[in-house]
Amino acid sequence: MQESPANITDGKGGSSAPAFRGGVAGVLWFFVALVGCLYIYFLNGGPTFYFDTGSYIDRGYGLLSHFFDIPTVRNAALNLDGSVVAELDPKETVRAVGGTRSPVYSVIVGGLASLRHLEAIAWIHAALVLAAIWLPIRITARHFFADMSVAKSVGLTVLLSSLGSLPFYVAFIMPDIFAPILILMLATLTAYSRTMLWWEILFAFSLAGLAIVVHISHIAMAVLLFPCILVLAFLYSRKMWWFAPLLVAMLLGVGAGEQFGFRAAVSSNSGKEVTILPFLTARLIHDQVGYDYLESHCPSDDIPTCKLFQSLSISDDPMRFTASHILFSRESHLGSFQFIEYSEQKEIANRQFGFFFDVLKQYPFRTAISFLRNTLVQVKMNSVDMTLQSAEIIKFMDALNGLSDGGFEDGRLTSDVSWLGPVNILHQLLYGISFSVAAVLVLWPRLLPGQVRILVIVIGLGILANAFILGGVSQPATRYGSRVIWLLPFAATFCLIFTPYFAGSWNNQSAVAKDGKVATGRKT
């Protein structure tokens, strides 16, 4: 009788892992995958960067300089307080520490910059991406096609994914690449945690744990995905259905612990406060629903956000209602958060979730519609344009150093971006085709193993969660969408590799589909 692939064992009570096969060919496939991750870095002649890159470097240098005697990362005198950049009011850097800049990612880039090897971050990104892609392919191959060449499958998957935004984010000195890594690991744990080897669980958990602490938005994404993962795990099988949700809950604990520890360390070591800008408040005002609430309730001493309403009422310029202007503008005719006293800024920031629930209670339908609209807008925004430095960004970064070959300058791809328009069109075609292929293969009855379907569904939900958190709650931007959109060609390729007939031809073996599983040909 033919044995179910999911039950193949190594004779010692554990699942047999696919051995490394292919010799030189396998090494070459992994090399091809590495080049696929890094080719934008090579073509550009170095990494790309953004305004926020400077804040991460400065913060990382400041944190490390408390413990080590390291070279400065600035060509000019350090014009910050040494450890942090205050996000609420630069005049009040002694009081506040911005909470949206991860100390973990800051220490990584700050340390590399102090060593004058900041470009190594692209290689770190590439290694982590390859690990995040290799793990689910390895596990799926072991379950459903034990003789599959994992290296060959990883190479093909990365190659097709690298036709999209993937290599742009590998080369980007920002923590954005960790968002798709987190989604991949959550999907892997949801689909396979009940049958993974112990070290695979630990490996996936470690990758996800790193991804969840490098940006506060990643914690919010995991929170949003948690109930979806719980339902999917329960519906797929009652056996140990709670294990994947438990792992996700533990990851949320890691994220919360990092935030709590950072706040405690800042408070005890410097007496400062960690405060997050009121992105949610600005978004609600931008969408009019928050402004209407303030207009009907202000002035009121019981509503701290009324102070912001007063600041925004000093002119009739319509641009004053743009979320970015509300938070950051220093032009007097716009008014903004920046023109409010620090103590009032802190109250508004700390009250943003309470303000959200107050607005939701008064305007439930309008609030829901605005978040849905912003999410849909964000889903459609996936150009890689914001990963390419501009003249303004280069000027902003002029005082910083950290690269082995000098300062932050234009690269070969960023000095002339005339290629961007055609690439955007090709990317849209790739994403459209990938979505169609993945959707057809997942919905086709009995074509794919159940775990593969679960994994791809969680990836899709992760893309939507990313759009909701960053587009719906913050402000839609191409950078937010394109950082995860390469998961669509990944999902399409992943599905194709594990369809029965493709799996057989891809590995030059026979494959028989039975109950959505690919037979290995082994017999008992």
Side-chain angles (χ1 to χ4, degrees), residues 5 13 17 52 62 82 88 92 113 118 138 154 167 176 200 211 217 297 300 377 414 431 464 474 497 513:
D52 294 353
L88 293 182
E92 301 287 354
L118 185 54
R138 177 190 190 279
V154 169
D176 296 86
E200 292 172 340
S217 68
H297 289 77
S300 171
V377 168
T414 57
Y431 302 143
L464 291 177
S474 181
I497 285 174

PDB file of all heavy atoms in Angstrom, residues 5 13 17 52 62 82 88 92 113 118 138 154 167 176 200 211 217 297 300 377 414 431 464 474 497 513:
ATOM      1  N   PRO A   5       2.350  10.743   2.167  1.00  0.00           N
ATOM      2  CA  PRO A   5       3.610  11.453   2.335  1.00  0.00           C
ATOM      3  C   PRO A   5       3.726  12.131   3.682  1.00  0.00           C
ATOM      4  O   PRO A   5       4.813  12.271   4.218  1.00  0.00           O
ATOM      5  CB  PRO A   5       3.576  12.505   1.214  1.00  0.00           C
ATOM      6  CG  PRO A   5       2.568  11.999   0.243  1.00  0.00           C
ATOM      7  CD  PRO A   5       1.596  11.189   1.024  1.00  0.00           C
ATOM      8  N   GLY A  13      10.887   7.727  14.601  1.00  0.00           N
ATOM      9  CA  GLY A  13       9.742   8.413  15.173  1.00  0.00           C
ATOM     10  C   GLY A  13       9.555   9.820  14.699  1.00  0.00           C
ATOM     11  O   GLY A  13       8.598  10.474  15.055  1.00  0.00           O
ATOM     12  N   ALA A  17      13.530  14.426   6.783  1.00  0.00           N
ATOM     13  CA  ALA A  17      13.762  15.677   6.064  1.00  0.00           C
ATOM     14  C   ALA A  17      14.431  15.369   4.742  1.00  0.00           C
ATOM     15  O   ALA A  17      15.232  14.453   4.627  1.00  0.00           O
ATOM     16  CB  ALA A  17      14.641  16.602   6.899  1.00  0.00           C
ATOM     17  N   ASP A  52      14.106  58.424   6.890  1.00  0.00           N
ATOM     18  CA  ASP A  52      14.111  57.772   8.199  1.00  0.00           C
ATOM     19  C   ASP A  52      15.391  56.984   8.461  1.00  0.00           C
ATOM     20  O   ASP A  52      15.694  56.668   9.622  1.00  0.00           O
ATOM     21  CB  ASP A  52      12.908  56.831   8.322  1.00  0.00           C
ATOM     22  CG  ASP A  52      11.590  57.584   8.312  1.00  0.00           C
ATOM     23  OD1 ASP A  52      11.614  58.825   8.350  1.00  0.00           O
ATOM     24  OD2 ASP A  52      10.536  56.932   8.266  1.00  0.00           O
ATOM     25  N   GLY A  62      23.653  56.425  19.052  1.00  0.00           N
ATOM     26  CA  GLY A  62      23.463  56.948  20.397  1.00  0.00           C
ATOM     27  C   GLY A  62      23.361  55.848  21.434  1.00  0.00           C
ATOM     28  O   GLY A  62      23.952  55.927  22.519  1.00  0.00           O
ATOM     29  N   GLY A  82      22.284  62.685  21.381  1.00  0.00           N
ATOM     30  CA  GLY A  82      23.214  61.564  21.474  1.00  0.00           C
ATOM     31  C   GLY A  82      22.564  60.216  21.337  1.00  0.00           C
ATOM     32  O   GLY A  82      23.150  59.308  20.794  1.00  0.00           O
ATOM     33  N   LEU A  88       8.162  64.244  18.745  1.00  0.00           N
ATOM     34  CA  LEU A  88       7.082  65.160  19.053  1.00  0.00           C
ATOM     35  C   LEU A  88       7.500  66.614  18.852  1.00  0.00           C
ATOM     36  O   LEU A  88       6.749  67.414  18.338  1.00  0.00           O
ATOM     37  CB  LEU A  88       6.603  64.951  20.491  1.00  0.00           C
ATOM     38  CG  LEU A  88       5.922  63.622  20.745  1.00  0.00           C
ATOM     39  CD1 LEU A  88       5.453  63.559  22.182  1.00  0.00           C
ATOM     40  CD2 LEU A  88       4.750  63.438  19.808  1.00  0.00           C
ATOM     41  N   GLU A  92      12.248  69.674  22.305  1.00  0.00           N
ATOM     42  CA  GLU A  92      12.017  68.989  23.572  1.00  0.00           C
ATOM     43  C   GLU A  92      12.704  67.628  23.597  1.00  0.00           C
ATOM     44  O   GLU A  92      12.207  66.686  24.167  1.00  0.00           O
ATOM     45  CB  GLU A  92      10.511  68.793  23.790  1.00  0.00           C
ATOM     46  CG  GLU A  92       9.719  70.083  23.823  1.00  0.00           C
ATOM     47  CD  GLU A  92       9.950  70.864  25.098  1.00  0.00           C
ATOM     48  OE1 GLU A  92      10.641  70.330  26.002  1.00  0.00           O
ATOM     49  OE2 GLU A  92       9.462  71.985  25.212  1.00  0.00           O
ATOM     50  N   ALA A 113      27.159  51.216  10.618  1.00  0.00           N
ATOM     51  CA  ALA A 113      27.616  52.535  10.188  1.00  0.00           C
ATOM     52  C   ALA A 113      28.877  52.954  10.925  1.00  0.00           C
ATOM     53  O   ALA A 113      29.804  53.526  10.334  1.00  0.00           O
ATOM     54  CB  ALA A 113      26.507  53.567  10.408  1.00  0.00           C
ATOM     55  N   LEU A 118      28.051  49.902   6.376  1.00  0.00           N
ATOM     56  CA  LEU A 118      26.593  49.901   6.398  1.00  0.00           C
ATOM     57  C   LEU A 118      26.002  49.134   5.218  1.00  0.00           C
ATOM     58  O   LEU A 118      24.893  48.603   5.313  1.00  0.00           O
ATOM     59  CB  LEU A 118      26.078  51.336   6.406  1.00  0.00           C
ATOM     60  CG  LEU A 118      24.568  51.539   6.558  1.00  0.00           C
ATOM     61  CD1 LEU A 118      24.032  50.830   7.800  1.00  0.00           C
ATOM     62  CD2 LEU A 118      24.220  53.021   6.605  1.00  0.00           C
ATOM     63  N   ARG A 138      11.173  23.803   2.278  1.00  0.00           N
ATOM     64  CA  ARG A 138      11.759  22.589   2.841  1.00  0.00           C
ATOM     65  C   ARG A 138      10.701  21.742   3.544  1.00  0.00           C
ATOM     66  O   ARG A 138      10.628  20.526   3.348  1.00  0.00           O
ATOM     67  CB  ARG A 138      12.858  22.975   3.842  1.00  0.00           C
ATOM     68  CG  ARG A 138      13.487  21.777   4.535  1.00  0.00           C
ATOM     69  CD  ARG A 138      14.378  22.203   5.683  1.00  0.00           C
ATOM     70  NE  ARG A 138      15.145  21.066   6.178  1.00  0.00           N
ATOM     71  CZ  ARG A 138      14.688  20.143   7.019  1.00  0.00           C
ATOM     72  NH1 ARG A 138      13.449  20.231   7.475  1.00  0.00           N
ATOM     73  NH2 ARG A 138      15.452  19.150   7.404  1.00  0.00           N
ATOM     74  N   VAL A 154      13.834  26.615  -4.284  1.00  0.00           N
ATOM     75  CA  VAL A 154      14.119  27.931  -3.703  1.00  0.00           C
ATOM     76  C   VAL A 154      14.633  28.880  -4.783  1.00  0.00           C
ATOM     77  O   VAL A 154      14.215  30.044  -4.866  1.00  0.00           O
ATOM     78  CB  VAL A 154      15.145  27.804  -2.558  1.00  0.00           C
ATOM     79  CG1 VAL A 154      15.654  29.189  -2.136  1.00  0.00           C
ATOM     80  CG2 VAL A 154      14.527  27.089  -1.376  1.00  0.00           C
ATOM     81  N   PRO A 167      14.012  42.660  -4.587  1.00  0.00           N
ATOM     82  CA  PRO A 167      15.409  43.128  -4.487  1.00  0.00           C
ATOM     83  C   PRO A 167      15.533  44.606  -4.139  1.00  0.00           C
ATOM     84  O   PRO A 167      16.570  45.025  -3.622  1.00  0.00           O
ATOM     85  CB  PRO A 167      15.983  42.824  -5.873  1.00  0.00           C
ATOM     86  CG  PRO A 167      14.799  42.800  -6.783  1.00  0.00           C
ATOM     87  CD  PRO A 167      13.681  42.242  -5.957  1.00  0.00           C
ATOM     88  N   ASP A 176      11.692  47.663   6.337  1.00  0.00           N
ATOM     89  CA  ASP A 176      10.489  47.231   5.614  1.00  0.00           C
ATOM     90  C   ASP A 176      10.542  45.774   5.171  1.00  0.00           C
ATOM     91  O   ASP A 176       9.501  45.116   5.088  1.00  0.00           O
ATOM     92  CB  ASP A 176      10.270  48.127   4.395  1.00  0.00           C
ATOM     93  CG  ASP A 176       9.980  49.562   4.777  1.00  0.00           C
ATOM     94  OD1 ASP A 176      10.935  50.330   4.979  1.00  0.00           O
ATOM     95  OD2 ASP A 176       8.805  49.912   4.909  1.00  0.00           O
ATOM     96  N   GLU A 200      12.808  23.503  13.577  1.00  0.00           N
ATOM     97  CA  GLU A 200      12.125  24.322  12.573  1.00  0.00           C
ATOM     98  C   GLU A 200      11.194  25.323  13.244  1.00  0.00           C
ATOM     99  O   GLU A 200      11.105  26.490  12.821  1.00  0.00           O
ATOM    100  CB  GLU A 200      11.348  23.418  11.616  1.00  0.00           C
ATOM    101  CG  GLU A 200      12.220  22.567  10.719  1.00  0.00           C
ATOM    102  CD  GLU A 200      11.415  21.550   9.923  1.00  0.00           C
ATOM    103  OE1 GLU A 200      10.272  21.234  10.325  1.00  0.00           O
ATOM    104  OE2 GLU A 200      11.932  21.064   8.898  1.00  0.00           O
ATOM    105  N   ALA A 211      11.533  39.864  13.267  1.00  0.00           N
ATOM    106  CA  ALA A 211      10.720  40.713  12.385  1.00  0.00           C
ATOM    107  C   ALA A 211       9.715  41.547  13.165  1.00  0.00           C
ATOM    108  O   ALA A 211       9.416  42.684  12.788  1.00  0.00           O
ATOM    109  CB  ALA A 211      10.001  39.838  11.355  1.00  0.00           C
ATOM    110  N   SER A 217       4.698  48.733  13.649  1.00  0.00           N
ATOM    111  CA  SER A 217       3.587  48.348  12.775  1.00  0.00           C
ATOM    112  C   SER A 217       3.507  46.840  12.612  1.00  0.00           C
ATOM    113  O   SER A 217       2.432  46.291  12.345  1.00  0.00           O
ATOM    114  CB  SER A 217       3.721  49.015  11.402  1.00  0.00           C
ATOM    115  OG  SER A 217       4.833  48.502  10.685  1.00  0.00           O
ATOM    116  N   HIS A 297     -17.639  69.006  19.136  1.00  0.00           N
ATOM    117  CA  HIS A 297     -17.371  68.855  20.569  1.00  0.00           C
ATOM    118  C   HIS A 297     -16.415  69.907  21.130  1.00  0.00           C
ATOM    119  O   HIS A 297     -16.293  70.011  22.352  1.00  0.00           O
ATOM    120  CB  HIS A 297     -16.789  67.464  20.856  1.00  0.00           C
ATOM    121  CG  HIS A 297     -17.769  66.354  20.721  1.00  0.00           C
ATOM    122  ND1 HIS A 297     -18.179  65.858  19.504  1.00  0.00           N
ATOM    123  CD2 HIS A 297     -18.448  65.637  21.664  1.00  0.00           C
ATOM    124  CE1 HIS A 297     -19.045  64.876  19.696  1.00  0.00           C
ATOM    125  NE2 HIS A 297     -19.224  64.712  20.999  1.00  0.00           N
ATOM    126  N   SER A 300     -13.361  72.045  24.406  1.00  0.00           N
ATOM    127  CA  SER A 300     -13.683  71.261  25.586  1.00  0.00           C
ATOM    128  C   SER A 300     -12.384  70.907  26.297  1.00  0.00           C
ATOM    129  O   SER A 300     -11.443  70.392  25.680  1.00  0.00           O
ATOM    130  CB  SER A 300     -14.428  69.983  25.205  1.00  0.00           C
ATOM    131  OG  SER A 300     -14.568  69.130  26.320  1.00  0.00           O
ATOM    132  N   VAL A 377      -7.187  51.690  -1.269  1.00  0.00           N
ATOM    133  CA  VAL A 377      -6.239  52.581  -1.948  1.00  0.00           C
ATOM    134  C   VAL A 377      -4.818  52.074  -1.757  1.00  0.00           C
ATOM    135  O   VAL A 377      -4.022  52.029  -2.706  1.00  0.00           O
ATOM    136  CB  VAL A 377      -6.381  54.027  -1.413  1.00  0.00           C
ATOM    137  CG1 VAL A 377      -5.217  54.898  -1.897  1.00  0.00           C
ATOM    138  CG2 VAL A 377      -7.702  54.636  -1.854  1.00  0.00           C
ATOM    139  N   THR A 414      19.542  55.362  -9.207  1.00  0.00           N
ATOM    140  CA  THR A 414      18.792  56.467  -8.613  1.00  0.00           C
ATOM    141  C   THR A 414      19.135  57.821  -9.227  1.00  0.00           C
ATOM    142  O   THR A 414      18.387  58.778  -9.068  1.00  0.00           O
ATOM    143  CB  THR A 414      19.040  56.534  -7.101  1.00  0.00           C
ATOM    144  OG1 THR A 414      20.441  56.660  -6.850  1.00  0.00           O
ATOM    145  CG2 THR A 414      18.531  55.276  -6.421  1.00  0.00           C
ATOM    146  N   TYR A 431       2.220  41.228 -10.850  1.00  0.00           N
ATOM    147  CA  TYR A 431       1.377  41.048  -9.672  1.00  0.00           C
ATOM    148  C   TYR A 431      -0.021  40.579 -10.057  1.00  0.00           C
ATOM    149  O   TYR A 431      -0.619  39.741  -9.370  1.00  0.00           O
ATOM    150  CB  TYR A 431       1.299  42.341  -8.862  1.00  0.00           C
ATOM    151  CG  TYR A 431       2.644  42.854  -8.410  1.00  0.00           C
ATOM    152  CD1 TYR A 431       2.911  44.229  -8.366  1.00  0.00           C
ATOM    153  CD2 TYR A 431       3.660  41.984  -8.029  1.00  0.00           C
ATOM    154  CE1 TYR A 431       4.140  44.711  -7.959  1.00  0.00           C
ATOM    155  CE2 TYR A 431       4.893  42.458  -7.628  1.00  0.00           C
ATOM    156  CZ  TYR A 431       5.135  43.828  -7.594  1.00  0.00           C
ATOM    157  OH  TYR A 431       6.356  44.309  -7.195  1.00  0.00           O
ATOM    158  N   LEU A 464      -3.218  42.100   3.128  1.00  0.00           N
ATOM    159  CA  LEU A 464      -4.345  42.971   3.479  1.00  0.00           C
ATOM    160  C   LEU A 464      -4.135  43.631   4.844  1.00  0.00           C
ATOM    161  O   LEU A 464      -4.469  44.807   5.028  1.00  0.00           O
ATOM    162  CB  LEU A 464      -5.640  42.168   3.479  1.00  0.00           C
ATOM    163  CG  LEU A 464      -6.138  41.681   2.117  1.00  0.00           C
ATOM    164  CD1 LEU A 464      -7.394  40.828   2.286  1.00  0.00           C
ATOM    165  CD2 LEU A 464      -6.424  42.860   1.186  1.00  0.00           C
ATOM    166  N   SER A 474      -2.490  54.762   9.062  1.00  0.00           N
ATOM    167  CA  SER A 474      -1.501  55.822   8.879  1.00  0.00           C
ATOM    168  C   SER A 474      -1.857  56.638   7.642  1.00  0.00           C
ATOM    169  O   SER A 474      -2.837  57.367   7.641  1.00  0.00           O
ATOM    170  CB  SER A 474      -0.098  55.217   8.756  1.00  0.00           C
ATOM    171  OG  SER A 474       0.875  56.220   8.608  1.00  0.00           O
ATOM    172  N   ILE A 497       4.852  24.968  -7.827  1.00  0.00           N
ATOM    173  CA  ILE A 497       5.856  23.955  -7.502  1.00  0.00           C
ATOM    174  C   ILE A 497       5.228  22.725  -6.855  1.00  0.00           C
ATOM    175  O   ILE A 497       5.659  21.592  -7.091  1.00  0.00           O
ATOM    176  CB  ILE A 497       6.932  24.555  -6.563  1.00  0.00           C
ATOM    177  CG1 ILE A 497       7.861  25.468  -7.356  1.00  0.00           C
ATOM    178  CG2 ILE A 497       7.743  23.468  -5.871  1.00  0.00           C
ATOM    179  CD1 ILE A 497       8.858  26.206  -6.505  1.00  0.00           C
ATOM    180  N   ALA A 513      -1.474  12.733  -7.873  1.00  0.00           N
ATOM    181  CA  ALA A 513      -2.279  13.502  -6.925  1.00  0.00           C
ATOM    182  C   ALA A 513      -3.327  12.596  -6.304  1.00  0.00           C
ATOM    183  O   ALA A 513      -4.048  11.902  -6.989  1.00  0.00           O
ATOM    184  CB  ALA A 513      -2.956  14.666  -7.640  1.00  0.00           C
TER     185      ALA A 513
END
